[in-house]
Amino acid sequence: MAALPPLPPVAYRYSVGSVTVTALPDGTRTIPLPDGFVRNQPQAAVKAALRAAFLPDDQLTIYFNPLLLEIAGRRVLIDTGFGPQAEPSTMGRLHHTLESVGVAAATINTVVISHFHLDHINGLLAADGTPAFPNAQVLVPEREWDFWLDEGAASRAPDAQKPAFANARRVFAAVESHVNRYDWDQEVLPGLTAIGTPGHTPGHTSFMLTSGADRLFIQSDLTNTPYLFVRNPGWHAMFDMDPDLAEASRRRMLEIVAAERLLVAGFHFPFPGAAHLEKDGDGYRFVPVPWVQARG
Ligand SMILES: [Zn+2]
């Protein structure tokens, strides 16, 4: 397929009780299906799952959806995308998306980080390396901070992980004076509770947003592409650092979400990044919400 000219940014805005939630795509990335993308399945099974979802079986499109929450007059961003330096230019577009919905970066009060992979933290920095959200407090999971910024852990890490340690150090050096750490099972902000879902990374965190009678489960990277890992929660994505622990976290939370019929926001869900999950055999059926134009 020939490359098409880029479209203007889109966003998806919805309410959870009195909180306004906006999915603000940072973009997408399409890559050839890597060998061993699912570590514990033969490639033929992965290709079959992609075809069953009516997707091409030789490539993957990964979506990146930071969220903006407007909670009692505060603007809260959850995760930040790749940042404006990203290559290819189909990613790192959060600042354009924010502009398109009329939100200046300087008006963001709080940035909550789910984990320290680069597609979640690099957008903390502007193109010139200064804080992209200069007036924001940056809230990070305590366990994630302890792991990635520990020099011992960095030196013991396999070579393939060393760049991620160096990246976390680089990003947080620039915003350190804005950082506060949070622990699991605490409200990081009113109505937003941190839920430990380790495995993808040691301090990987999901969130439950509660407002009035409404709830939204913000899963972060509990699953990568839902057509593989919501459908098959026992499948291990190559990005999960401790695949067995990640699977346990995933199974525990997906069961709750399906039983309680919760809406789920997924950083790597296809836009608009929100879905319901229905129990189906050993896995779940992914039922994306239809995009609706918000009232102006
Ligand atoms: Zn991610």
Side-chain angles (χ1 to χ4, degrees):
M1 212 184 331
L4 301 171
L7 290 166
V10 292
Y12 174 58
R13 186 168 275 168
Y14 53 107
S15 296
V16 175
S18 64
V19 179
T20 301
V21 179
T22 311
L24 295 164
D26 191 54
T28 63
R29 178 180 213 175
T30 300
I31 53 171
L33 179 67
D35 281 334
F37 182 69
V38 181
R39 287 191 236 189
N40 58 348
Q41 289 295 314
Q43 204 73 339
V46 178
K47 286 175 174 285
L50 291 171
R51 287 194 300 273
F54 296 90
L55 294 169
D57 69 0
D58 58 351
Q59 66 178 45
L60 277 176
T61 293
I62 300 181
Y63 296 73
F64 308 93
N65 295 302
L67 289 182
L68 176 70
L69 310 182
E70 290 167 89
I71 305 179
R74 292 186 70 78
R75 285 179 163 163
V76 179
L77 194 61
I78 303 191
D79 290 333
T80 64
F82 285 93
Q85 307 290 63
E87 286 294 334
S89 61
T90 57
M91 299 132 46
R93 307 199 57 82
L94 174 66
H95 54 298
H96 294 303
T97 314
L98 272 172
E99 248 170 55
S100 76
V101 295
V103 173
T107 66
I108 301 289
N109 303 105
T110 309
V111 179
V112 181
I113 295 293
S114 67
H115 67 293
F116 285 9
H117 279 163
L118 80 172
D119 50 327
H120 299 258
I121 63 172
N122 282 14
L124 281 167
L125 303 188
D128 64 0
T130 60
F133 306 100
N135 299 313
Q137 190 183 37
V138 178
L139 304 181
V140 304
E142 178 99 59
R143 287 165 214 230
E144 200 68 354
W145 180 274
D146 288 348
F147 178 75
W148 292 103
L149 299 186
D150 176 64
E151 285 182 21
S155 66
R156 287 189 301 274
D159 282 350
Q161 277 174 24
K162 287 201 185 337
F165 281 89
N167 184 63
R169 205 166 281 277
R170 174 185 69 88
V171 169
F172 287 107
V175 297
E176 189 158 9
S177 62
H178 301 246
V179 169
N180 275 297
R181 299 177 231 174
Y182 64 79
D183 206 352
W184 292 338
D185 303 318
Q186 310 280 330
E187 275 197 336
V188 295
L189 290 162
L192 186 70
T193 301
I195 300 174
T197 47
H200 180 62
T201 61
H204 179 266
T205 303
S206 305
F207 305 91
M208 191 70 78
L209 173 66
T210 306
S211 178
D214 285 359
R215 281 188 296 166
L216 171 70
F217 179 61
I218 299 167
Q219 74 153 16
S220 311
D221 284 15
L222 197 59
T223 77
N224 195 278
T225 178
Y227 301 111
L228 299 180
F229 305 104
V230 168
R231 189 75 207 89
N232 303 286
W235 288 17
H236 295 172
M238 67 194 311
F239 308 122
D240 291 343
M241 293 176 72
D242 181 338
D244 294 322
L245 184 58
E247 178 182 342
S249 292
R250 188 159 52 244
R251 286 188 182 280
R252 173 169 55 87
M253 292 314 300
L254 295 190
E255 191 171 321
I256 293 170
V257 157
E260 301 188 9
R261 302 177 63 81
L262 296 179
L263 184 62
V264 186
F267 190 83
H268 295 300
F269 285 178
F271 184 76
H276 291 92
L277 312 183
E278 183 182 45
K279 185 91 181 120
D280 183 2
D282 185 44
Y284 298 86
R285 197 164 70 88
F286 179 72
V287 186
V289 298
W291 181 88
V292 177
Q293 177 69 54
R295 284 169 199 238

